[in-house]
Amino acid sequence: MKIELRTISEKEYEVKNESGNILCIDMYEQAEKKHFSPMQLLLSAAVSCAAVDIVTMMKKKRKNIHDLQATVLGDRREEYPQKFTSISINYILFSTDATQEESQKTMDLAVKKYCSVIASLNTDIEIQYSISVVDKY
């Protein structure tokens, strides 16, 4: 895997993957923000990596998945490096035939075993997660 980075300006960067897809990153304050920051991308990677695994496993169980939504919150240290100290992910699975129990087991597997992003995080980061099943869309 290879990513190339180039500087657009002092607070703006562009990364490109091997397929040529481009992603812009900025370090502006919230009021001026145009793109994600690196730390926002890290949270996005964690929540989306596990989401892909959850949906894939539920589809293999032949479950009718209408949508999977999530909110991820990250708490960071005040001192440098301002790394994450905890990450909390809350998924909502929209399905007419998935149970809470099987969804919980699937999420456990996704987060603890299959998600490469979460597995790559420092082990001193507290990871909390939950899933709720909504039986309509």
Side-chain angles (χ1 to χ4, degrees):
M1 183 179 300
K2 177 182 171 184
I3 301 290
E4 295 176 350
L5 175 132
R6 74 180 192 99
T7 304
I8 303 298
S9 70
E10 181 182 342
K11 293 188 177 190
E12 290 185 55
Y13 303 87
E14 179 180 280
V15 291
K16 182 168 63 171
N17 67 12
E18 294 167 308
S19 299
N21 304 111
I22 294 173
L23 177 70
C24 295
I25 300 166
D26 76 44
M27 294 303 294
Y28 293 117
E29 296 298 322
Q30 194 61 39
E32 301 173 50
K33 197 147 226 15
K34 299 185 238 178
H35 308 289
F36 282 68
S37 71
M39 294 302 275
Q40 290 169 329
L41 288 171
L42 181 62
L43 287 181
S44 299
V47 71
S48 61
C49 178
V52 168
D53 293 329
I54 291 168
V55 170
T56 299
M57 287 187 279
M58 293 301 280
K59 293 272 186 182
K60 284 184 180 178
K61 294 178 181 186
R62 301 191 188 281
K63 297 301 172 182
N64 188 7
I65 308 301
H66 296 285
D67 194 6
L68 179 66
Q69 299 176 8
T71 301
V72 60
L73 302 171
D75 291 321
R76 295 172 66 183
R77 298 180 348 163
E78 292 292 324
E79 62 275 359
Y80 288 93
Q82 293 178 309
K83 67 179 189 167
F84 287 114
T85 56
S86 68
I87 295 173
S88 176
I89 304 172
N90 296 298
Y91 291 101
I92 301 172
L93 179 69
F94 293 84
S95 173
T96 54
D97 58 355
T99 67
Q100 181 65 40
E101 182 181 352
E102 70 187 333
S103 300
Q104 181 69 43
K105 287 179 183 178
T106 301
M107 183 190 57
D108 288 340
L109 277 172
V111 172
K112 293 180 179 178
K113 184 174 182 180
Y114 294 111
C115 177
S116 302
V117 174
I118 292 174
S120 298
L121 296 173
N122 194 320
T123 56
D124 67 348
I125 299 172
E126 179 185 351
I127 308 287
Q128 299 172 346
Y129 54 93
S130 67
I131 193 166
S132 302
V133 178
V134 176
D135 66 359
K136 60 184 176 201
Y137 183 67

